[in-house]
Amino acid sequence: QVQVVESGGGLVQPGESLRLSCVASGTITGIYSMGWHRQAPGKTRELVALVRHGEDPKYVDFAKGRFTMSRDSAKNTAYVQMDSLKREDTGVYYCNVDGIGGDYQFLEVWGQGTQVTVSS
């Protein structure tokens, strides 16, 4: 069974930074992509950034220039460095993993999320 666990959330003031981590564990044959998503209170979940195997990370507009995603393929880990945080960045941040499990079946796994609160 594959699990995805996020960490690094917290309470920060506007303009400050946070670095979120996502670790996928279990029997994984290969990971095709890892993505960060977020859900603000009362809103639907939205994509933040995505990195596919062998490609550079892609960002949605609100993340460009402020967020930097990276991936350590050897550790099945992804990070997102979030700088110049704004109040509207508040929400639960989720990581998802698409790949192939130990039984060579396609897998899509989501973590439980980590809360990010930007407030003065």
Side-chain angles (χ1 to χ4, degrees), residues 36-48 62 67 86-94 113-118:
W36 284 101
H37 306 251
R38 72 183 187 185
Q39 187 165 15
K43 296 187 177 181
T44 57
R45 193 174 298 186
E46 60 182 349
L47 177 67
V48 175
F62 66 75
F67 294 4
K86 305 175 182 180
R87 290 181 176 82
E88 52 264 42
D89 293 319
T90 294
V92 180
Y93 284 69
Y94 298 90
T114 184
Q115 176 70 43
V116 171
T117 303
V118 185

Side-chain angles (χ1 to χ4, degrees), residues 2-3 8 11 20 27 30 32-33 37 42-43 49-50 52 54-55 58 69-70 72 75 81 84 88 106 111 113 115:
V2 176
Q3 289 187 322
L11 171 64
L20 307 183
T27 305
Y32 173 67
S33 68
H37 306 251
K43 296 187 177 181
L50 176 73
R52 296 186 178 92
E55 298 180 4
K58 304 291 193 298
M69 183 176 180
S70 59
D72 185 337
K75 297 180 179 179
Q81 174 69 37
S84 303
E88 52 264 42
F106 177 78
Q115 176 70 43

Side-chain angles (χ1 to χ4, degrees), residues 2-102:
V2 176
Q3 289 187 322
V4 173
V5 178
E6 306 95 336
S7 62
L11 171 64
V12 296
Q13 295 187 353
E16 294 186 338
S17 299
L18 277 175
R19 185 179 189 237
L20 307 183
S21 300
C22 165
V23 180
S25 62
T27 305
I28 302 171
T29 298
I31 292 179
Y32 173 67
S33 68
M34 299 183 76
W36 284 101
H37 306 251
R38 72 183 187 185
Q39 187 165 15
K43 296 187 177 181
T44 57
R45 193 174 298 186
E46 60 182 349
L47 177 67
V48 175
L50 176 73
V51 60
R52 296 186 178 92
H53 180 71
E55 298 180 4
D56 292 330
K58 304 291 193 298
Y59 304 91
V60 296
D61 285 346
F62 66 75
K64 292 178 181 178
R66 297 191 300 127
F67 294 4
T68 304
M69 183 176 180
S70 59
R71 176 181 166 184
D72 185 337
S73 297
K75 297 180 179 179
N76 291 336
T77 300
Y79 308 92
V80 61
Q81 174 69 37
M82 305 188 296
D83 299 319
S84 303
L85 283 163
K86 305 175 182 180
R87 290 181 176 82
E88 52 264 42
D89 293 319
T90 294
V92 180
Y93 284 69
Y94 298 90
C95 178
N96 88 304
V97 173
D98 290 345
I100 302 296

